[in-house]
Amino acid sequence: GREFALRTLAPRLSAHTPLLFDDIQDNGHFRELVERRGGPYLVFEFGGKWIGLTGGPESLYCTPESRPSTTSI
C-alpha cells in the first residue's frame, strides 16, 4: 500500500516535495513517516476525516492559519 508507493516514488522525490495523506486516523503510517523524516507537518480535519501534510517548502507552514508542529503526534 502506502509504504510500497513511497519506496517506489522515493528516488524521484526531493526533500521539498509535499506529501499529503488522507484518512490518517485509520492507520499509523503518517505518524511513522513524520517520526522517521522529522521536520514540520500539519494535521487538519476535513469532512470528518483527518489529513496529514509533510515535506515541501517551509512557506507551506508559515501562514497565520497554520501552525507547524514539530512535536510527536
Side-chain angles (χ1 to χ4, degrees), residues 32-68:
E32 293 165 7
L33 177 68
V34 167
E35 288 172 352
R36 278 196 319 263
R37 290 181 62 162
Y41 63 89
L42 293 172
V43 173
F44 51 95
E45 188 269 340
F46 181 79
K49 302 284 185 165
W50 291 93
I51 310 297
L53 172 68
T54 188
E58 289 187 30
S59 61
L60 286 176
Y61 304 94
C62 298
T63 65
E65 296 79 28
S66 64
R67 301 287 184 257

Side-chain angles (χ1 to χ4, degrees), residues 3-12:
E3 192 61 38
F4 172 78
L6 276 178
R7 279 195 314 268
T8 302
L9 294 172
R12 294 168 178 84

Side-chain angles (χ1 to χ4, degrees), residues 12-39:
R12 294 168 178 84
L13 301 177
S14 79
H16 299 290
T17 302
L19 299 173
L20 187 68
F21 292 83
D22 64 345
D23 300 332
I24 65 171
Q25 74 281 352
D26 293 338
N27 63 62
H29 183 75
F30 181 76
R31 177 190 304 241
E32 293 165 7
L33 177 68
V34 167
E35 288 172 352
R36 278 196 319 263
R37 290 181 62 162

